[in-house]
Amino acid sequence: MTTLSGFKAFTDNLPKQEQLMPVLFIGHGSPMNGIEDTEFSRRWTQMAKEIPTPQAVLVVSAHWFTKGTKITAMDFPETIHDFGGFPKELFAVQYPAPGNPALAKETASLIHSAHVELDHDWGLDHGTWTIIRHMYPEAKIPVLQLSIDFTKGPQYHYDLAREINALRKKGVLIIGSGNMVHNLRMVAWDKLNDPEYAYDWAAQMNDTFKNLIEEGNHKALINYTTLGREAMLAIPTPEHYLPLLYTLGLKEGKDSISFFNDKAVGGSLTMTSVKFG
Protein backbone atom coordinates (compact mmCIF):
# COMPACT_ATOMS: atom_id res chain seq x y z
CA MET A 1 0.00 0.00 0.00
CA THR A 2 2.69 2.45 -1.07
CA THR A 3 0.76 4.66 -3.47
CA LEU A 4 -2.07 7.11 -2.89
CA SER A 5 -4.16 5.52 -5.65
CA GLY A 6 -3.50 2.09 -4.20
CA PHE A 7 -4.64 3.17 -0.76
CA LYS A 8 -7.78 4.79 -2.16
CA ALA A 9 -8.60 1.78 -4.32
CA PHE A 10 -8.30 -0.51 -1.34
CA THR A 11 -10.30 1.59 1.09
CA ASP A 12 -12.98 2.54 -1.45
CA ASN A 13 -13.82 -1.13 -1.82
CA LEU A 14 -14.58 -1.59 1.87
CA PRO A 15 -18.29 -1.91 2.76
CA LYS A 16 -19.53 1.36 4.23
CA GLN A 17 -20.59 -0.06 7.60
CA GLU A 18 -17.14 -1.57 8.06
CA GLN A 19 -15.40 1.64 7.03
CA LEU A 20 -16.61 3.90 9.83
CA MET A 21 -14.03 3.47 12.54
CA PRO A 22 -14.54 4.62 16.11
CA VAL A 23 -12.47 7.49 17.46
CA LEU A 24 -10.54 7.24 20.72
CA PHE A 25 -9.25 9.77 23.19
CA ILE A 26 -6.75 7.96 25.40
CA GLY A 27 -5.22 9.21 28.62
CA HIS A 28 -1.67 7.92 28.26
CA GLY A 29 -0.21 8.94 31.64
CA SER A 30 3.30 7.84 32.55
CA PRO A 31 5.59 6.43 29.84
CA MET A 32 5.97 3.39 32.13
CA ASN A 33 2.53 2.30 30.97
CA GLY A 34 4.32 1.41 27.75
CA ILE A 35 6.19 -1.50 29.33
CA GLU A 36 4.22 -2.32 32.47
CA ASP A 37 1.23 -4.59 32.82
CA THR A 38 -1.18 -2.10 34.38
CA GLU A 39 -4.95 -1.84 34.48
CA PHE A 40 -4.61 0.94 31.92
CA SER A 41 -2.42 -0.97 29.46
CA ARG A 42 -4.61 -4.05 29.80
CA ARG A 43 -7.64 -1.97 28.84
CA TRP A 44 -5.81 -0.67 25.76
CA THR A 45 -5.13 -4.26 24.74
CA GLN A 46 -8.78 -5.16 25.26
CA MET A 47 -9.99 -2.12 23.34
CA ALA A 48 -8.10 -3.27 20.24
CA LYS A 49 -10.05 -6.53 20.40
CA GLU A 50 -13.38 -4.74 20.71
CA ILE A 51 -13.07 -2.47 17.68
CA PRO A 52 -12.54 -3.33 14.00
CA THR A 53 -8.95 -3.89 12.97
CA PRO A 54 -7.84 -0.62 11.33
CA GLN A 55 -6.14 -0.22 7.98
CA ALA A 56 -3.95 2.43 9.63
CA VAL A 57 -3.70 4.44 12.85
CA LEU A 58 -3.38 8.22 13.02
CA VAL A 59 -2.43 9.67 16.41
CA VAL A 60 -2.63 13.27 17.60
CA SER A 61 -0.13 13.20 20.44
CA ALA A 62 0.32 15.79 23.17
CA HIS A 63 4.06 15.40 22.66
CA TRP A 64 4.32 16.71 19.11
CA PHE A 65 3.74 20.44 19.54
CA THR A 66 4.92 22.32 16.45
CA LYS A 67 4.72 25.66 14.68
CA GLY A 68 2.40 24.80 11.84
CA THR A 69 0.73 21.43 11.23
CA LYS A 70 2.80 18.42 10.23
CA ILE A 71 2.18 14.76 9.52
CA THR A 72 4.72 11.95 9.55
CA ALA A 73 5.28 10.78 5.99
CA MET A 74 8.16 8.32 6.13
CA ASP A 75 8.05 4.61 5.31
CA PHE A 76 9.34 3.59 8.73
CA PRO A 77 8.99 6.14 11.57
CA GLU A 78 11.54 5.84 14.34
CA THR A 79 10.62 5.16 17.96
CA ILE A 80 11.25 8.37 19.90
CA HIS A 81 12.16 8.22 23.61
CA ASP A 82 11.15 11.77 24.49
CA PHE A 83 11.54 11.62 28.27
CA GLY A 84 14.18 11.33 30.95
CA GLY A 85 14.77 9.72 34.30
CA PHE A 86 13.16 6.36 33.51
CA PRO A 87 14.62 2.83 33.57
CA LYS A 88 16.86 1.74 30.71
CA GLU A 89 14.29 -0.91 29.78
CA LEU A 90 11.95 1.85 28.64
CA PHE A 91 14.61 3.44 26.43
CA ALA A 92 15.32 0.06 24.86
CA VAL A 93 11.79 -0.30 23.51
CA GLN A 94 11.38 -0.18 19.76
CA TYR A 95 8.03 -0.17 17.99
CA PRO A 96 8.87 -0.84 14.33
CA ALA A 97 5.47 -0.18 12.77
CA PRO A 98 5.54 1.04 9.16
CA GLY A 99 4.31 4.46 8.13
CA ASN A 100 2.21 5.19 5.07
CA PRO A 101 3.41 8.14 2.96
CA ALA A 102 0.40 7.83 0.64
CA LEU A 103 -2.02 8.15 3.54
CA ALA A 104 -0.02 11.11 4.86
CA LYS A 105 -0.45 12.87 1.51
CA GLU A 106 -4.15 12.05 1.38
CA THR A 107 -4.67 13.33 4.92
CA ALA A 108 -2.83 16.55 4.10
CA SER A 109 -5.03 17.00 1.02
CA LEU A 110 -8.17 16.83 3.16
CA ILE A 111 -7.07 19.77 5.29
CA HIS A 112 -7.86 23.12 3.67
CA SER A 113 -7.63 25.37 6.73
CA ALA A 114 -3.86 24.98 6.92
CA HIS A 115 -0.86 23.93 4.90
CA VAL A 116 0.22 20.54 6.20
CA GLU A 117 3.91 19.77 5.99
CA LEU A 118 4.92 16.18 5.18
CA ASP A 119 7.47 15.43 7.89
CA HIS A 120 10.37 12.96 7.63
CA ASP A 121 12.18 13.83 10.87
CA TRP A 122 9.86 13.07 13.80
CA GLY A 123 8.55 9.53 14.23
CA LEU A 124 6.42 7.96 16.96
CA ASP A 125 6.75 9.64 20.37
CA HIS A 126 5.72 8.11 23.67
CA GLY A 127 2.22 9.57 23.40
CA THR A 128 1.80 7.10 20.55
CA TRP A 129 3.95 4.00 20.96
CA THR A 130 3.32 3.44 24.69
CA ILE A 131 -0.35 2.92 23.79
CA ILE A 132 -0.16 1.34 20.34
CA ARG A 133 2.35 -1.36 21.27
CA HIS A 134 -0.26 -2.76 23.67
CA MET A 135 -3.06 -2.48 21.14
CA TYR A 136 -1.19 -3.85 18.13
CA PRO A 137 1.94 -5.62 19.45
CA GLU A 138 2.86 -7.16 16.09
CA ALA A 139 3.58 -3.64 14.75
CA LYS A 140 2.24 -4.49 11.29
CA ILE A 141 -0.42 -1.76 11.01
CA PRO A 142 0.83 1.57 9.61
CA VAL A 143 1.01 4.32 12.24
CA LEU A 144 1.19 8.07 11.54
CA GLN A 145 1.23 11.15 13.76
CA LEU A 146 -0.43 14.52 13.19
CA SER A 147 1.16 17.40 15.07
CA ILE A 148 -0.54 20.10 17.14
CA ASP A 149 0.14 23.69 16.01
CA PHE A 150 0.98 25.56 19.23
CA THR A 151 0.31 28.94 17.59
CA LYS A 152 -3.41 28.21 17.22
CA GLY A 153 -6.31 28.28 19.67
CA PRO A 154 -8.69 25.48 20.68
CA GLN A 155 -11.36 26.25 18.06
CA TYR A 156 -8.80 25.88 15.28
CA HIS A 157 -7.90 22.36 16.39
CA TYR A 158 -11.52 21.29 16.72
CA ASP A 159 -12.31 22.62 13.24
CA LEU A 160 -9.23 21.05 11.67
CA ALA A 161 -10.24 17.64 13.01
CA ARG A 162 -13.60 17.91 11.28
CA GLU A 163 -11.77 18.14 7.95
CA ILE A 164 -10.24 14.68 8.31
CA ASN A 165 -13.47 12.90 9.27
CA ALA A 166 -13.49 11.12 5.90
CA LEU A 167 -10.59 8.96 7.13
CA ARG A 168 -12.99 7.19 9.49
CA LYS A 169 -14.78 5.86 6.43
CA LYS A 170 -11.51 4.48 5.09
CA GLY A 171 -10.69 2.26 8.03
CA VAL A 172 -8.33 4.69 9.78
CA LEU A 173 -8.38 4.64 13.57
CA ILE A 174 -7.82 8.18 14.83
CA ILE A 175 -6.58 8.55 18.40
CA GLY A 176 -6.11 11.67 20.50
CA SER A 177 -3.44 10.93 23.12
CA GLY A 178 -3.13 13.19 26.16
CA ASN A 179 -4.84 13.56 29.54
CA MET A 180 -7.99 15.51 30.41
CA VAL A 181 -6.58 16.52 33.79
CA HIS A 182 -2.80 16.94 33.66
CA ASN A 183 -0.95 19.04 36.23
CA LEU A 184 2.50 17.54 36.82
CA ARG A 185 3.56 20.32 39.19
CA MET A 186 0.88 19.31 41.67
CA VAL A 187 1.31 15.54 41.57
CA ALA A 188 1.20 13.96 45.03
CA TRP A 189 4.15 11.63 44.50
CA ASP A 190 3.57 9.99 47.87
CA LYS A 191 0.05 9.04 46.77
CA LEU A 192 0.89 7.41 43.43
CA ASN A 193 -0.02 3.97 44.76
CA ASP A 194 -3.25 5.13 46.40
CA PRO A 195 -6.04 3.89 44.14
CA GLU A 196 -7.95 6.74 42.50
CA TYR A 197 -6.54 9.45 44.80
CA ALA A 198 -7.60 12.82 43.39
CA TYR A 199 -7.63 16.40 44.60
CA ASP A 200 -11.14 17.78 44.86
CA TRP A 201 -10.60 20.13 41.90
CA ALA A 202 -9.26 17.28 39.75
CA ALA A 203 -12.22 15.03 40.49
CA GLN A 204 -14.61 17.92 39.90
CA MET A 205 -13.14 18.82 36.52
CA ASN A 206 -12.95 15.20 35.41
CA ASP A 207 -16.68 14.90 36.11
CA THR A 208 -17.37 18.22 34.40
CA PHE A 209 -15.50 17.17 31.28
CA LYS A 210 -17.36 13.86 31.15
CA ASN A 211 -20.74 15.53 31.62
CA LEU A 212 -20.04 18.06 28.87
CA ILE A 213 -18.91 15.30 26.52
CA GLU A 214 -22.06 13.28 27.18
CA GLU A 215 -24.23 16.38 26.69
CA GLY A 216 -22.50 17.16 23.41
CA ASN A 217 -21.59 20.61 24.72
CA HIS A 218 -18.50 21.00 22.58
CA LYS A 219 -18.61 24.80 22.80
CA ALA A 220 -17.93 24.71 26.54
CA LEU A 221 -15.14 22.18 26.07
CA ILE A 222 -13.54 24.31 23.37
CA ASN A 223 -13.81 27.39 25.58
CA TYR A 224 -12.45 25.55 28.62
CA THR A 225 -10.75 28.67 29.97
CA THR A 226 -14.22 29.94 30.96
CA LEU A 227 -14.89 26.93 33.19
CA GLY A 228 -13.29 28.48 36.26
CA ARG A 229 -10.26 28.08 38.50
CA GLU A 230 -10.58 24.30 38.61
CA ALA A 231 -10.22 24.11 34.83
CA MET A 232 -7.04 26.18 34.96
CA LEU A 233 -5.61 23.81 37.55
CA ALA A 234 -6.59 20.83 35.41
CA ILE A 235 -5.16 22.38 32.23
CA PRO A 236 -2.26 24.65 33.20
CA THR A 237 -0.88 24.17 29.68
CA PRO A 238 -2.98 23.00 26.71
CA GLU A 239 -0.93 20.28 25.03
CA HIS A 240 -2.45 17.30 26.86
CA TYR A 241 -6.00 18.65 26.52
CA LEU A 242 -6.04 19.61 22.84
CA PRO A 243 -5.99 15.99 21.59
CA LEU A 244 -9.44 15.64 23.20
CA LEU A 245 -10.72 18.48 21.00
CA TYR A 246 -9.54 16.61 17.90
CA THR A 247 -11.62 13.59 18.89
CA LEU A 248 -14.64 15.78 19.62
CA GLY A 249 -14.31 17.36 16.19
CA LEU A 250 -14.37 13.90 14.64
CA LYS A 251 -17.50 12.79 16.46
CA GLU A 252 -20.62 12.27 14.37
CA GLY A 253 -24.14 12.74 15.67
CA LYS A 254 -25.01 9.06 15.84
CA ASP A 255 -21.80 8.01 17.57
CA SER A 256 -22.23 6.38 20.95
CA ILE A 257 -20.05 7.61 23.83
CA SER A 258 -18.37 5.40 26.41
CA PHE A 259 -15.67 6.06 28.98
CA PHE A 260 -12.87 3.75 30.11
CA ASN A 261 -9.80 3.91 32.37
CA ASP A 262 -11.76 6.53 34.29
CA LYS A 263 -9.38 6.90 37.22
CA ALA A 264 -7.16 9.51 38.81
CA VAL A 265 -3.44 9.08 39.48
CA GLY A 266 -1.35 11.03 41.97
CA GLY A 267 -4.05 13.55 42.77
CA SER A 268 -3.65 15.81 39.74
CA LEU A 269 -3.81 13.47 36.72
CA THR A 270 -6.68 11.49 35.24
CA MET A 271 -6.44 8.59 32.83
CA THR A 272 -10.05 9.04 31.71
CA SER A 273 -10.48 7.95 28.12
CA VAL A 274 -13.38 8.09 25.66
CA LYS A 275 -14.58 5.97 22.77
CA PHE A 276 -16.79 7.63 20.16
CA GLY A 277 -18.70 5.25 17.91
Side-chain angles (χ1 to χ4, degrees):
M1 207 68 60
T2 58
T3 67
L4 179 57
S5 61
F7 183 80
K8 283 188 173 181
F10 181 81
T11 55
D12 285 350
N13 288 329
L14 294 174
K16 187 172 182 180
Q17 286 187 335
E18 294 180 9
Q19 292 173 15
L20 189 61
M21 288 295 293
V23 176
L24 302 176
F25 172 75
I26 295 182
H28 64 246
S30 168
M32 291 301 292
N33 287 310
I35 60 172
E36 292 182 338
D37 179 22
T38 67
E39 62 179 308
F40 307 122
S41 64
R42 287 193 295 271
R43 187 66 187 90
W44 300 338
T45 299
Q46 183 61 33
M47 179 59 71
K49 298 175 181 177
E50 296 173 1
I51 64 177
T53 301
Q55 301 302 317
V57 180
L58 176 64
V59 182
V60 180
S61 167
H63 296 282
W64 198 19
F65 231 39
T66 60
K67 184 175 182 179
T69 301
K70 303 182 180 183
I71 189 168
T72 55
M74 66 285 287
D75 288 314
F76 293 97
E78 67 174 299
T79 303
I80 299 174
H81 302 90
D82 52 331
F83 41 71
F86 289 93
K88 62 181 181 180
E89 290 81 6
L90 191 60
F91 290 90
V93 172
Q94 294 294 315
Y95 186 71
N100 190 316
L103 176 57
K105 291 178 182 177
E106 182 175 2
T107 302
S109 74
L110 293 173
I111 298 172
H112 300 289
S113 61
H115 169 71
V116 180
E117 178 183 340
L118 299 180
D119 181 87
H120 297 86
D121 299 321
W122 188 243
L124 306 180
D125 60 51
H126 82 268
T128 294
W129 64 258
T130 58
I131 296 169
I132 303 300
R133 72 185 304 261
H134 288 290
M135 296 182 72
Y136 306 109
E138 294 182 355
K140 294 181 178 180
I141 297 173
V143 181
L144 294 77
Q145 281 197 207
L146 182 69
S147 77
I148 301 173
D149 184 349
F150 65 77
T151 70
K152 305 297 185 181
Q155 185 71 53
Y156 169 88
H157 299 290
Y158 178 86
D159 292 341
L160 186 149
R162 295 176 69 87
E163 296 185 82
I164 61 172
N165 186 275
L167 296 178
R168 295 185 62 188
K169 299 179 176 65
K170 295 197 171 188
V172 179
L173 173 63
I174 304 176
I175 298 175
S177 175
N179 291 94
M180 288 190 199
V181 176
H182 185 269
N183 191 326
L184 288 182
R185 291 186 178 183
M186 297 186 69
V187 169
W189 299 106
D190 60 331
K191 301 286 188 179
L192 285 180
N193 295 320
D194 288 13
E196 300 188 59
Y197 177 77
Y199 297 124
D200 290 344
W201 58 263
Q204 176 184 329
M205 284 314 304
N206 195 64
D207 287 343
T208 296
F209 292 146
K210 288 166 54 184
N211 290 336
L212 291 171
I213 290 169
E214 288 184 318
E215 294 167 3
N217 191 345
H218 294 184
K219 183 176 180 180
L221 290 160
I222 293 167
N223 299 312
Y224 68 89
T225 57
T226 67
L227 295 178
R229 174 180 176 273
E230 291 80 9
M232 294 299 92
L233 288 171
I235 314 170
T237 55
E239 70 278 355
H240 277 76
Y241 181 79
L242 291 176
L244 173 64
L245 297 187
Y246 278 81
T247 62
L248 293 173
L250 287 158
K251 182 185 179 300
E252 294 190 356
K254 295 181 179 180
D255 284 336
S256 60
I257 301 171
S258 58
F259 297 97
F260 59 101
N261 283 351
D262 186 16
K263 292 191 174 182
V265 176
S268 62
L269 305 173
T270 62
M271 297 293 288
T272 304
S273 304
V274 196
K275 173 177 174 283
F276 300 103

